[in-house]
Amino acid sequence: METKHPKIILTGDRPTGKLHVGHYVGSLRQRVALQNSGEYEAVFIMIADAQALTDNADNPEKIRQSIIDVALDYLSVGLDPAVTTMFVQSQIPELAELTIYYMNLVTVSRVQRNPTVKAEIVQRNFETTMPVGFFVYPISQASDITAFKATTVPVGEDQLPMIEQTREIVRSFNGTYGEVLVEPDALIPESEACKRLPGTDGKAKMSKSLGNCIYLSDPPEEVKKKVMSMFTDPGHLRVEDPGCVEGNAVFTYLDAFCRQEQFAKYLPEYADLDALKAHYRRGGLGDVKIKKFLINVMEEELAPIRARRREYEKDIRKVYRILEDGCRRAQAAAADTLRDVKAAMKINYFEDEELIQSHVDRYQG
Ligand code: TRP
């Protein structure tokens, strides 16, 4: 790239319920690390209620109730409102306005090729009933990202097509109207386990409707119960039997959560996760033992999150104020970009003295 842009983060989540540990290892944990790295000029985290409404138009109450849950999830994992601007998408009208202009830069067939949108159309039975707003949400997501001149978008793998679409819009816009927008890069988790944490039933994805989630807000007894009934290897019937590690949810969760020091602390007879896996494969290692270890490992990460949540829950009005203040800051940033966009597109008539003078000359000259 020609110019070096200040490093800015923008990402977000649809508020359709509480966030779970899949969200955590897939993105939230990394966001906190990025926030604390001090490498970013600004960090914007958005509660994407307008996007959630694109497939929940008949259920605004669900979205409305989830805003505070997601905000509490953000604050409890350690996103710090003094550093990170947390805001609500629908409160920033500039985002909708940008979308109107970007829609002219994308073809219908291009959106139809978006693999994530394709999969979602099938999941939601939208083949013949898809709202137009849902169809264009990747374009609105490009507005979310570009409005903040974001360079870096930490997301799950399923969001890569959205980032690619955003990059295309940026190139198209800058090519047609001049260099205004910034091309973002996606940042996805490194490990396979973090990219795709399975549900507790071993199914590919955690989802509320499958009832296979561990929520960040679950109390310790609930986490314990869920881990103790977690899917392992159905062929591993007796402790002596050799067990399979691949597709075994407990090991995938250990891949995502456990740290080297935790062996010395909880399972000193094993040097590391590889040694534990090797024993499980050989046979002689029971599910209860690995589950108890996983509970300890997860609790080390979840306990401080729960403690922070309890503090914020005592002052819900403060959480609303954090969001409101975030919206104010986010809107100021988006308004700056929209001003540049409109100037580049030459639709800033009343600020364009040259245009006005040329018309004066034409009609009065
Ligand atoms: N589509 C994202 C999701 O479903 C949410 C989202 C909306 C988002 N706008 C965004 C993510 C902008 C990153 C950047 O999780």
Side-chain angles (χ1 to χ4, degrees), residues 236 239-245 251 267 269-270 272-286 289-290:
H236 186 240
V239 173
E240 316 82 75
D241 292 339
C244 186
V245 165
F251 281 102
L267 288 180
E269 61 274 40
Y270 299 94
D272 54 23
L273 188 52
D274 285 336
L276 189 71
K277 286 179 179 175
H279 190 190
Y280 194 81
R281 288 195 178 100
R282 267 198 320 274
L285 174 55
K289 185 158 177 177
I290 57 169

Side-chain angles (χ1 to χ4, degrees), residues 23-36:
H23 294 115
Y24 181 68
V25 298
S27 182
L28 293 169
R29 183 164 62 183
Q30 191 178 35
R31 293 179 201 176
V32 176
L34 293 167
Q35 165 198 270
N36 296 340

Side-chain angles (χ1 to χ4, degrees), residues 10-14 23 31 46 48 51 89 120 137 140-142 144-145 153-155 158-159 162-163:
L10 175 291
T11 187
D13 304 274
R14 295 183 193 182
H23 294 115
R31 293 179 201 176
M46 180 183 75
Q51 186 176 110
Q89 186 183 27
E120 287 172 330
Y137 94 72
S140 129
Q141 194 158 333
D144 304 336
I145 296 168
V153 187
V155 278
D158 63 323
Q159 297 297 303
M162 310 305 162
I163 313 303

Side-chain angles (χ1 to χ4, degrees), residues 4-304:
K4 189 103 179 63
H5 297 290
K7 290 173 78 178
I8 294 173
I9 288 176
L10 175 291
T11 187
D13 304 274
R14 295 183 193 182
T16 55
K18 306 173 285 186
L19 302 180
H20 51 60
V21 295
H23 294 115
Y24 181 68
V25 298
S27 182
L28 293 169
R29 183 164 62 183
Q30 191 178 35
R31 293 179 201 176
V32 176
L34 293 167
Q35 165 198 270
N36 296 340
S37 73
E39 280 181 32
Y40 291 85
E41 189 114 324
V43 182
F44 294 96
I45 310 278
M46 180 183 75
I47 302 181
D49 62 336
Q51 186 176 110
L53 285 165
T54 66
D55 63 339
N56 286 282
D58 56 350
N59 198 1
E61 192 59 27
K62 174 169 89 182
I63 310 306
R64 188 174 125 90
Q65 294 300 332
S66 300
I67 307 276
I68 188 75
D69 292 334
V70 174
L72 282 167
D73 285 326
Y74 285 170
L75 293 165
S76 60
V77 298
L79 289 171
D80 174 0
V83 183
T84 292
T85 301
M86 289 167 243
F87 68 100
V88 184
Q89 186 183 27
S90 61
Q91 305 306 298
I92 319 297
E94 285 78 2
L95 299 177
E97 207 173 330
L98 285 171
T99 304
I100 291 284
Y101 300 122
Y102 294 169
M103 284 200 280
N104 301 330
L105 306 175
V106 181
T107 63
V108 170
S109 64
R110 173 65 184 85
V111 181
Q112 279 168 337
R113 282 199 304 277
N114 183 310
T116 299
V117 172
K118 269 190 185 169
E120 287 172 330
I121 290 172
V122 176
Q123 279 162 23
R124 290 165 177 65
N125 292 313
F126 270 171
E127 286 87 349
T128 57
T129 56
M130 178 167 53
V132 174
F134 180 83
F135 184 65
V136 300
Y137 94 72
I139 304 176
S140 129
Q141 194 158 333
S143 305
D144 304 336
I145 296 168
T146 57
F148 301 95
K149 302 214 155 90
T151 50
T152 311
V153 187
V155 278
E157 229 179 3
D158 63 323
Q159 297 297 303
L160 288 175
M162 310 305 162
I163 313 303
E164 195 44 50
Q165 175 70 83
T166 303
R167 294 169 65 92
E168 286 174 30
I169 289 172
V170 169
R171 288 195 290 267
S172 170
F173 186 98
N174 288 353
T176 306
Y177 304 115
E179 288 287 326
V180 172
L181 302 178
V182 177
E183 250 185 81
D185 288 307
L187 201 60
I188 58 174
E190 269 162 39
S191 94
E192 288 305 314
C194 293
K195 276 182 194 163
R196 258 183 298 267
L197 195 73
T200 51
D201 57 358
K203 295 239 168 62
K205 227 181 147 156
M206 273 194 201
S207 94
K208 192 162 36 184
S209 53
L210 293 173
N212 61 359
C213 305
I214 297 177
Y215 293 100
L216 289 168
S217 47
D218 278 346
E221 318 81 69
E222 189 71 20
V223 174
K224 193 169 172 193
K225 205 168 82 194
K226 288 175 177 177
V227 173
M228 289 315 287
S229 63
M230 200 177 256
F231 179 88
T232 57
D233 168 11
H236 186 240
L237 296 175
R238 289 164 311 163
V239 173
E240 316 82 75
D241 292 339
C244 186
V245 165
E246 287 71 31
N248 182 322
V250 175
F251 281 102
T252 313
Y253 277 59
L254 285 174
D255 277 330
F257 279 97
C258 102
R259 284 175 282 115
Q260 184 58 40
E261 321 85 85
Q262 291 171 321
F263 283 91
K265 188 162 170 193
Y266 300 110
L267 288 180
E269 61 274 40
Y270 299 94
D272 54 23
L273 188 52
D274 285 336
L276 189 71
K277 286 179 179 175
H279 190 190
Y280 194 81
R281 288 195 178 100
R282 267 198 320 274
L285 174 55
D287 283 355
V288 170
K289 185 158 177 177
I290 57 169
K291 285 178 170 175
K292 287 198 165 146
F293 178 49
L294 176 59
I295 290 166
N296 284 324
V297 162
M298 287 183 72
E299 275 306 314
E300 277 198 26
E301 200 131 351
L302 294 177

Side-chain angles (χ1 to χ4, degrees), residues 318-344:
K318 178 169 155 188
V319 178
Y320 270 94
R321 280 198 301 275
I322 288 169
L323 290 180
E324 201 178 353
D325 181 56
C327 287
R328 214 169 290 126
R329 280 187 280 164
Q331 185 166 17
D336 279 344
T337 302
L338 183 64
R339 193 178 324 103
D340 296 345
V341 160
K342 290 173 92 168

